[in-house]
Amino acid sequence: MATPSRTVKRLQELYENLPLPAGHVIGMAVDFLLDRLRPAPLPGSRSLHRRAGALLVLAGVGLNFWALHERRRHTAGRFALERPEELVTTGPYAMTRHPMYVGWWFIRLGTGTLAGSAWTLVTLPVLSLAGHPEVLREEALLAEHFHEAYPAYAGRVPRYLGFPARQPP
């Protein structure tokens, strides 16, 4: 059985490697408050909101887990999300350079849809734009750490969503 200090250490490690962007947590809280203060219902039936919202949340959670799994697969020692040992370009990283951010977008959109609130349609783009400078800082660090490999990767894989660049034959 794990000692209390060992359990605390494990929980701390888990939290440190949890891709939980503060902007999205704040955004969900703001969405909730705005919906309580001034409801802005989505058009359509409640059952449609529930189905679509659940699918979006599941897609986001699935994408985040897949990205974490892929990152751990490329880690030899102790896993540290903020300190990659190698540039991961496989799995979801072959489709987007930031699959966990995209996953959180799906989760945010899904929770708003589940709640039947249109506020997420306003707050998600605003908070995503506010978080964009952090993404650019991350990319600069990756380019510095992975010298030639990162610029080549960035040239063929979209930052968020889009179509990958065509590879020469």
Side-chain angles (χ1 to χ4, degrees):
M1 188 165 153
T3 63
S5 62
R6 190 171 173 188
T7 302
V8 168
K9 188 175 180 179
R10 280 187 178 170
L11 288 173
Q12 185 178 5
E13 279 181 26
L14 176 65
Y15 177 75
E16 288 171 356
N17 287 308
L18 188 66
L20 189 62
H24 288 290
V25 174
I26 292 167
M28 284 190 263
V30 168
D31 292 345
F32 177 80
L33 289 172
L34 287 171
D35 197 51
R36 294 297 173 253
L37 295 172
R38 187 166 181 104
L42 286 171
S45 71
R46 188 75 182 116
S47 66
L48 175 63
H49 300 157
R50 286 184 182 138
R51 284 193 299 267
L55 286 173
L56 286 164
V57 168
L58 286 172
V61 168
L63 184 56
N64 280 340
F65 275 117
W66 186 20
L68 280 171
H69 173 74
E70 198 65 19
R71 281 286 307 281
R72 280 191 176 105
R73 229 171 47 79
H74 291 269
T75 302
R78 183 174 170 253
F79 178 69
L81 184 64
E82 298 299 322
R83 291 181 299 284
E85 293 177 15
E86 71 177 74
L87 182 62
V88 179
T89 61
T90 56
Y93 293 93
M95 298 179 285
T96 169
R97 297 192 312 260
H98 301 283
M100 287 185 253
Y101 283 100
V102 174
W104 273 102
W105 291 350
F106 287 152
I107 292 168
R108 282 277 317 283
L109 191 55
T111 57
T113 304
L114 273 168
S117 173
W119 282 112
T120 300
L121 300 175
V122 174
T123 62
L124 178 62
V126 170
L127 288 169
S128 294
L129 284 173
H132 185 67
E134 178 61 27
V135 170
L136 296 178
R137 277 190 292 279
E138 286 178 16
E139 289 188 344
L141 289 171
L142 289 168
E144 183 180 306
H145 190 68
F146 297 111
H147 308 292
E148 293 112 29
Y150 190 80
Y153 169 64
R156 52 175 206 276
V157 176
R159 178 175 283 138
Y160 299 117
L161 299 170
F163 298 100
R166 292 190 61 185
Q167 297 301 308

